[in-house]
Amino acid sequence: MKLDENEEKLLRSVALQNAQAVLLARERAERDLRESNERITNILESISYAFVVLDKEWRFTYVNPQAEQVVRPLKKSRAALLGKPFWLEFPDLVGTPVEENLRHSVADKVKVDFEIFYAPLNSWFHVRAYPGRDGLSVYLLDISNQKQAAEALRQSAERLHAMFNQAAVGIGMGSLEGRFVEANQKFADILGYSIEELRELTFLDVTHAEDLERTKANTQRLLAGEISDFA
């Protein structure tokens, strides 16, 4: 059936409108995608974590400024890393828990979360890796300060424990309920118990009967904050 001139004009008009609608929709989708990518990039550029993205061939496809700061002492830059294979840029990590964890994440499609000490930078890092359709996203945070603080605290605790055990005077510590929670050997020797036996007792159990009531009263005053100590 042949269309008359008006019908042809109408069809051409509808086709043009459809084409324009498709074009506008495409432009809008491209703009939205571009804006979304810009927002994501701005976030990744500003986060405190070092962040890199590796493709399926383990090549760097993205390196944020924080990651560049991490590798700068190794004479590496984000521009130089892009497109380069991770294992060729960091061959010293081959055969280490880093390789084991990252390959496990990719092969089994699971998030991995671990800590490593990286000798070339003399630093500890907390690493999180997330597998994706196109590769692997890796976050790193330098935790050297936290590790140093934890080690200093451990050493301090060990020194205090040694001083406690080697003190020339008897020292015992108890809970608010009066049960012994710790005692040094000198304290146990004075009372004639083993340290293990003391942990099953309260300080009232080892108080002389004549001093029991006075000790109870002073303990109540001590717990109430009325006195700071008693003998």
Side-chain angles (χ1 to χ4, degrees), residues 64-80:
N64 77 348
Q66 289 72 22
E68 184 176 43
Q69 289 180 11
V70 169
V71 300
R72 186 171 291 139
L74 303 176
K75 308 300 182 183
K76 297 180 185 293
S77 68
R78 63 194 301 193

Side-chain angles (χ1 to χ4, degrees), residues 176-187:
L176 292 177
E177 292 75 29
R179 186 169 297 279
F180 288 108
V181 294
E182 192 58 86
N184 66 358
Q185 190 59 52
K186 185 70 174 178
F187 189 82

Side-chain angles (χ1 to χ4, degrees), residues 3-17:
L3 300 176
D4 63 29
E5 184 177 351
N6 290 333
E7 289 175 330
E8 289 182 357
K9 288 181 179 180
L10 178 60
L11 286 176
R12 285 197 296 270
S13 176
V14 170
L16 180 60
Q17 290 175 7

Side-chain angles (χ1 to χ4, degrees), residues 86-100:
F86 179 85
W87 305 115
L88 290 182
E89 289 297 315
F90 298 93
D92 51 333
L93 293 177
V94 175
T96 70
V98 174
E99 181 181 22
E100 179 183 349

